[in-house]
């Protein structure tokens, strides 16, 4: 508790040159969230609102920061920052509707408490995971730099959240890229029941700034004038000279983590000391002592705020409960994009899969001046597979960005680019295996964004994947099934150069998060005649590569090539369907083929259990049962990690078992 104890000093106010009017405005601004909260606590006890995270005692931080920024500068708050929402002058009834899950809220009843954002007020709501907010702020700030706008972005985090890897990654990238972000850390002594002494070892969080090569400051978070004055000065300076700053606000959490959890574990004397530092009571005393606030004016101000709260509560309570339909809910998972097909030209070139991807990416960079690519070693070095070789020279370092090794925060930054002015991002994962280090933002930020608050995400994650290259357990996985499971993501998996080129262009045109799988073994082994000019291929359209009558083989990626080889070698009369995209999935093409042949084998490179083949199998069983002449067969890899040695890897992969499996099905 040392860092808290030391900071408990009397509040000293320095009014600078602020007019009485300005000081009264600040007083009104910190008073409002307090009075709203007091009302909410009553409603909570009456069961009229759900969970509540109290910011009582911390209002000066939210209000001071929000008041120092211009209304077109983004703020990314956390769960105790009601003062930001009120300082941005959001009509109160909309906040109340949000907390009651009603239509006039900001999430159509889909997300609770402070998990909401609004472009209208330039506020980006948090996801529960805390730390990812910091990385999103980086993307927003990067967008400001790219658009040559002199703006700062302020992002909030508690001292507990600073223990997350996201904090380290975000601060590191912001420092390396000189991003104009104010990292506002509210050190309120506790993260749920955990005191700061068990959360971090250094004396102050601000001390961490030096480790990132970042300016940092300690601010009395209970002193509205200190917060406002310091932030006004720093914001002005950052607008002029873009750079990140780490700010530690010393404050205290005066209530439970959320109302149900209480404060039994907090020593009473600590509570008492901090109660004497209440940001509102102290400011009130100061204003009275300086003859700035009269008793009558104070009463009037409070009456007006209470009146506003009550009127707006009435509006929210009178609003009907939200209803929706299955169709409506399903139609809000993906941003609607108007797909416009660009037909391929007649001029062709015989190229490899890797060349097709590189060419497509290059043409997209030329077509979309708002497209940025990010990844490890992609600039001077051209990427580990050389797909971006020469890009730096043509497009410059602003758009071809080498990143530190930090998948999570870069994916968060890509999302931030979408939020601030719809800047498109392609992120190259060095290997698809490393997406595990960026899993959280994919699943929780990107996938849920449109459904939660109608915000699209023009983010394409390029995923060099797959086995057959003797690369062992950490450089060989094909992990598409981790993502096809999650609503809100699109999953593309081409097997040929022609498809890869057109599908990548479509992916970049799209405004939804997309995982674009590129098989490493196919990179340099598969050639095809590919139109040289830019073209697109629609998602959700499988390709029937071989026509037959005895069996349908459904596959994607490397599996398609195995199927073609076996069918050709053994002269089997088979439909071979290359799915090309797994989400959306071409169900019609699958059903049509199964209905024709009556026998179906679904082939995937991935291990079988919980894979794409299992769900396709279930769909066929549910919808085509009466057309089947044999049980559905799934073929995939062994249920083990992927071994390194050639013979073991061949044993792991299903290729050598494929012919026997087909024959078993044909002979059923
Ligand atoms: C990744 C993750 N782990 C755990 C939690 C559960 N959790 C929610 S808030 C919280 C404490 C946060 O403390 P701090 O960052 O200090 O913010 P404060 O609540 O004090 O404002 C915890 C543990 C979470 N939301 N996300
Ligand atoms: Mg805390």
């Amino acid at each position: 508790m040392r860092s808290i104890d030391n900071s408990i000093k009397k509040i000293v106010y320095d009014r600078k040159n602020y007019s009485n009017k300005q000081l009264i405005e600040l007083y009104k601004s910190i008073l409002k969230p307090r009075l709203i909260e007091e009302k909410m606590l009553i409603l909570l006890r009456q069961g009229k609102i759900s969970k509540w995270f109290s910011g009582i005692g911390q209002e000066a931080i939210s209000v001071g920061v929000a008041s120092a920024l211009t209304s077109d500068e983004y703020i990314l708050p956390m769960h105790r920052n009601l003062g930001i929402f009120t300082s941005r002058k959001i009509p109160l009834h909309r906040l109340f509707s949000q907390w009651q899950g009603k239509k006039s809220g900001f999430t159509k009843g889909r997300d609770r408490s402070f998990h909401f954002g609004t472009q209208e007020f330039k506020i980006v709501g948090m996801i529960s995971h805390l730390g990812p907010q910091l990385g999103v702020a980086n993307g927003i700030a990067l967008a400001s730099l790219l658009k040559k706008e002199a703006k700062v972005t302020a992002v909030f985090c508690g001292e507990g959240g600073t223990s997350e890897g996201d904090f380290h990654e975000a601060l590191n990238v912001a420092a390396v890229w000189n991003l104009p972000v104010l990292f506002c850390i509210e050190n309120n002594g506790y993260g749920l029941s955990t005191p700061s002494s068990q959360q971090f070892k250094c004396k102050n969080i601000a001390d961490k700034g030096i480790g990132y090569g970042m300016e940092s400051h300690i601010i009395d978070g209970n002193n509205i004038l200190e917060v406002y004055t310091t932030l006004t000065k720093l914001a002005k300076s950052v607008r002029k000279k873009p750079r990140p700053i780490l700010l530690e606000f010393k404050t205290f959490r005066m209530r439970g983590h959320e109302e149900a959890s209480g404060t039994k574990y907090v020593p009473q004397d600590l509570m008492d000391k901090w109660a004497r530092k209440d940001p509102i009571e102290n400011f009130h005393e100061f204003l009275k002592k300086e003859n700035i606030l009269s008793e009558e004016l104070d009463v009037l101000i409070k009456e007006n705020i209470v009146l506003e709260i009550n009127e707006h509560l009435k509006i929210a309570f009178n609003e009907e409960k939200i209803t929706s339909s299955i169709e409506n809910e399903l139609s809000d998972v993906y941003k609607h994009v108007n797909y416009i097909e660009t037909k391929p030209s007649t001029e062709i070139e015989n190229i490899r899969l890797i060349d097709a991807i590189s060419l497509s990416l290059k043409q997209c960079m030329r077509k979309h001046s708002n497209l940025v690519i990010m990844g490890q070693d992609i600039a001077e070095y051209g990427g580990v597979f050389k797909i971006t070789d020469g890009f730096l020279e043509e497009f410059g370092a602003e758009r071809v960005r080498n990143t530190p090794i930090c998948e999570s925060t870069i994916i968060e930054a890509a999302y931030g680019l979408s939020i601030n002015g719809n800047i498109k991002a392609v992120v190259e994962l060095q290997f698809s295996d490393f997406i595990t280090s960026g899993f959280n933002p994919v699943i929780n930020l990107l996938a849920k964004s449109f459904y939660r608050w109608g915000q699209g995400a023009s983010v394409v994650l390029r995923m060099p994947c797959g086995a057959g290259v003797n690369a062992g357990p950490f450089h060989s996985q094909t992990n598409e099934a981790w993502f096809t499971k999650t609503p809100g993501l699109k999953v593309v998996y081409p097997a040929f150069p022609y498809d890869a080129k057109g599908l990548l262009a479509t992916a970049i045109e799209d405004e939804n998060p997309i995982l674009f799988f590129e098989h490493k073994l196919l990179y340099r082994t598969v050639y095809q005649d590919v139109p040289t000019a830019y073209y697109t291929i629609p998602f959700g359209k499988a390709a029937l590569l071989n026509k037959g009558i005895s069996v349908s083989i459904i596959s994607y990626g490397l599996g398609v090539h195995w199927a073609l080889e076996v069918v050709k070698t053994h002269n089997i009369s088979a439909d071979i369907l290359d799915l090309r995209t797994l989400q959306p999935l071409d169900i019609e093409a699958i059903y049509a083929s199964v209905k024709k042949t009556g026998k179906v084998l679904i082939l995937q490179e991935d291990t079988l259990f919980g894979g794409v083949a299992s769900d396709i199998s279930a769909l066929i069983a549910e919808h085509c049962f009466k057309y089947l002449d044999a049980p559905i067969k799934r073929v995939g890899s062994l249920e083990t990690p992927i071994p390194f040695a050639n013979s073991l890897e061949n044993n792991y992969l299903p290729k050598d078992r494929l012919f026997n499996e087909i024959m078993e099905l044909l002979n059923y």
Side-chain angles (χ1 to χ4, degrees), residues 329-349:
E329 292 304 291
L330 289 174
S331 74
D332 260 3
V333 175
Y334 295 94
K335 183 165 182 181
H336 308 276
V337 278
N338 195 12
Y339 172 74
I340 301 165
E341 185 155 8
T342 305
K343 297 253 183 258
S345 62
T346 46
E347 191 193 320
I348 53 161
E349 199 183 350

Side-chain angles (χ1 to χ4, degrees), residues 58 79-80 128-130 157-162 164 186 188 190-192 253 257:
Q58 301 181 217
H79 47 293
R80 298 192 201 286
S128 288
H129 301 66
L130 316 167
C157 183
E159 88 295 339
T162 65
E164 293 186 58
E186 292 186 72
N188 63 4
Y190 283 83
L192 219 156
R253 200 193 69 205
H257 169 65

Side-chain angles (χ1 to χ4, degrees), residues 218-239:
I218 294 174
I219 298 170
D220 179 351
N222 285 31
N223 181 338
I224 180 67
L225 292 188
E226 186 175 326
V227 176
Y228 179 62
T229 304
T230 314
L231 265 289
T232 303
K233 194 177 86 195
L234 292 177
K236 203 166 154 193
S237 160
V238 169
R239 284 180 203 117

Side-chain angles (χ1 to χ4, degrees), residues 254-455:
M254 298 304 295
R255 300 189 66 87
H257 169 65
E258 42 85 35
E259 284 307 305
S261 60
T263 54
K264 251 169 109 178
Y265 45 85
V266 183
Q268 191 55 44
D269 65 324
L270 206 51
M271 277 286 194
D272 296 343
K273 276 185 206 166
W274 278 96
R276 290 196 287 278
K277 269 199 72 161
D278 184 273
I280 296 167
E281 281 172 21
N282 278 280
F283 194 46
H284 174 259
E285 283 306 304
F286 166 75
L287 295 177
K288 267 175 66 181
K289 214 168 77 205
E290 299 289 314
N291 290 325
I292 299 165
L293 179 71
S294 66
E295 194 57 44
E296 300 75 54
L297 181 58
D298 192 29
V299 169
L300 189 68
I301 288 171
K302 283 177 180 151
E303 275 177 0
N304 279 341
I305 296 176
V306 169
L307 193 71
E308 185 187 353
I309 293 171
N310 288 337
E311 275 177 1
H312 283 251
L313 264 177
K314 215 181 282 168
I315 301 174
F317 276 126
N318 283 340
E319 200 179 342
E320 283 169 33
K321 283 220 164 81
I322 204 159
T323 55
S324 189
S325 63
I326 290 176
E327 293 73 31
N328 189 41
E329 292 304 291
L330 289 174
S331 74
D332 260 3
V333 175
Y334 295 94
K335 183 165 182 181
H336 308 276
V337 278
N338 195 12
Y339 172 74
I340 301 165
E341 185 155 8
T342 305
K343 297 253 183 258
S345 62
T346 46
E347 191 193 320
I348 53 161
E349 199 183 350
N350 194 261
I351 54 174
R352 303 167 300 176
L353 182 77
I354 197 161
D355 307 318
I357 293 168
S358 180
L359 182 58
S360 182
L361 195 54
K362 193 179 283 178
Q363 289 173 346
C364 289
M365 285 290 276
R366 288 174 188 155
K367 183 177 162 70
H368 305 286
S369 59
N370 63 336
L371 172 61
V372 169
I373 53 178
M374 303 190 277
Q376 291 150 29
D377 309 292
I378 65 161
E380 288 84 356
Y381 190 64
V384 289
F385 296 105
K386 301 292 169 205
I387 283 182
T388 52
D389 206 15
F391 278 43
L392 181 66
E393 290 72 16
E394 180 170 349
F395 304 107
E398 283 206 328
R399 295 180 62 204
V400 182
R401 307 187 75 90
N402 263 350
T403 73
I405 306 168
C406 47
E407 286 73 10
S408 203
T409 216
I410 293 302
I411 295 170
E412 290 153 16
Y415 180 52
L417 288 175
S418 269
I419 290 171
N420 187 3
N422 205 15
I423 293 178
K424 290 176 177 290
V426 171
V427 177
E428 175 174 300
L429 277 296
Q430 207 151 63
F431 288 84
S432 75
D433 309 70
F434 302 139
I435 193 69
T436 39
S437 294
F439 202 60
N440 185 29
V442 178
I443 302 300
N444 291 311
L445 268 181
L446 296 180
K448 297 170 181 41
S449 178
F450 191 74
Y451 183 73
R452 289 175 61 236
W453 67 299
Q455 173 62 51

